[in-house]
Amino acid sequence: MSSSIVTVRTIADLRGHVTGWKRDGESVGVVPTMGALHAGHLALVEAAKQRCDRVIVTLFVNPKQFERADDLAAYPRTEEADRQQLAPYGPDVLYAPTGETMYPQSFATTISVGGVSEGLCGAHRPGHFDGVATVVTKLFMQTQADVAFFGEKDYQQLQVIRRMTSDLDIPVEIVGVPTVREADGLALSSRNAYLTAAERGVAPALNRALCRVAEGLVEGQPASKLTADAIEEIRGAGFRDVDYVEVREAGTLRPIERLEGEARVLGAAWLGKARLIDNVPAFPRAAAGGNG
Ligand code: AMP
């Protein structure tokens, strides 16, 4: 199958497209990805197409957000298949820069976001969110996008990017898109490809445990007891290690013990070679409905 998507690898070529669009008064959306695309990524592209006149999908496996060299080396790279998956969704440009374009030898800048990047995945993946913030800032500057689309699947990342964009007065609107899941609740992830058939059967236990925490919170139970039970449940299901299960205030990611406003239950756990993450919302009864 041939694709009509223009693939661009240099900043100059990208700017050529964007400058023309902006001159014509068209809005530009960007969907940053690391490739190995699945229906979760495609939901972001759909949201971007609905909202913006022009859509850029970026594809760059960002070495700065991997804290382990073996994890970076193993990350799936499937550019041609990605292009074919994207074609029916009609983005205007696939921007797939080289490592040298993104990080030339002389590169020496790091964007580091405090507060929301601490704890949760930040505690288990040192430097990860600095790498994310740095590459996303570069992608924003390169694409000059008006709107950027990120998945709630990586909820802490979404909050880090919201904070950074606000703090640095970057003129881009951040849109969060709900997590796309398999029928059994497993959040779609490029890392699900690492699971064996047996592990794939176990994997939905993470989502089930997080949902149980959310239900318990709504019933008025304390977070500490619910999360301790969830960790036991995830281990019991066959995960080999649980990095965390925590309840946080939805916007600030401040730890909370009781459900008062909108909260998120977030978890990360190891299943075989894969580190799976997921999160679900929890709303107090009075505020429940409509946002779930
Ligand atoms: P990645 O390629 O893993 O860096 O992800 C690129 C974007 O896709 C990020 O904004 C992710 O949050 C988003 N994403 C990944 N998986 C999902 C999913 N299952 N549902 C919605 N968005 C997702």
Side-chain angles (χ1 to χ4, degrees):
M1 188 170 86
S2 68
S3 96
S4 56
I5 305 167
V6 177
T7 302
V8 161
R9 301 206 189 269
T10 68
I11 298 167
D13 277 356
L14 180 66
R15 287 259 166 83
H17 289 278
V18 174
T19 305
W21 298 337
K22 295 226 162 183
R23 198 188 305 120
D24 294 342
E26 293 181 309
S27 61
V28 179
V30 66
V31 178
T33 83
M34 296 204 300
L37 300 184
H38 51 64
H41 298 109
L42 298 173
L44 303 186
V45 179
E46 267 188 316
K49 283 290 288 184
Q50 273 176 20
R51 177 70 199 279
C52 301
D53 299 318
R54 298 289 182 169
V55 173
I56 302 167
V57 175
T58 75
L59 193 174
F60 180 62
V61 181
N62 175 32
K64 290 196 187 294
Q65 72 188 72
F66 286 80
E67 66 285 13
R68 294 193 351 255
D70 58 329
D71 191 23
L72 172 62
Y75 201 83
R77 289 160 171 86
T78 58
E79 184 178 319
E80 188 45 41
D82 292 344
R83 220 187 327 272
Q84 292 191 9
Q85 281 211 75
L86 283 170
Y89 292 82
D92 295 278
V93 162
L94 177 67
Y95 175 51
T98 63
E100 183 58 21
T101 293
M102 293 303 278
Y103 301 120
Q105 283 281 315
S106 53
F107 192 85
T109 299
T110 299
I111 306 289
S112 191
V113 181
V116 289
S117 69
E118 290 154 19
L120 305 170
C121 284
H124 291 269
R125 302 189 64 185
H128 170 68
F129 287 120
D130 287 1
V132 169
T134 302
V135 81
V136 169
T137 302
K138 284 181 68 78
L139 293 170
F140 286 172
M141 303 309 284
Q142 292 172 353
T143 61
Q144 298 166 47
D146 303 296
V147 192
F149 298 80
F150 293 89
E152 288 187 353
K153 150 85 174 14
D154 300 280
Y155 194 81
Q156 187 177 16
Q157 167 175 288
L158 176 60
Q159 301 312 319
V160 167
I161 289 162
R162 285 193 194 284
R163 179 81 267 138
M164 174 189 87
T165 307
S166 169
D167 286 355
L168 298 181
D169 308 307
I170 302 177
V172 60
E173 181 190 342
I174 307 300
V175 173
V177 176
T179 304
V180 177
R181 301 179 180 281
E182 304 280 6
D184 60 9
L186 176 65
L188 296 191
S189 166
S190 308
R191 293 176 189 274
N192 293 351
Y194 301 159
L195 300 174
T196 65
E199 288 162 355
R200 174 64 189 82
V202 167
L206 175 61
N207 179 249
R208 274 201 306 274
L210 300 184
C211 289
R212 232 186 293 283
V213 173
E215 285 158 20
L217 288 167
V218 173
E219 287 161 8
Q221 297 175 46
S224 48
K225 164 84 170 86
L226 290 164
T227 54
D229 289 350
I231 289 169
E232 282 307 299
E233 183 182 333
I234 295 163
R235 284 215 184 92
F239 278 74
R240 77 178 154 84
D241 204 5
V242 180
D243 278 355
Y244 63 83
V245 174
E246 291 193 39
V247 180
R248 299 291 183 103
E249 196 176 71
T252 62
L253 294 186
R254 194 174 55 84
I256 53 169
E257 178 66 356
R258 299 274 177 185
L259 194 59
E260 276 152 17
E262 182 184 347
R264 281 270 157 175
V265 185
L266 306 103
W270 288 88
L271 183 56
K273 281 190 276 187
R275 181 177 184 274
L276 303 184
I277 65 171
D278 199 355
N279 67 88
V280 299
F283 300 96
R285 272 198 217 285
N291 279 326

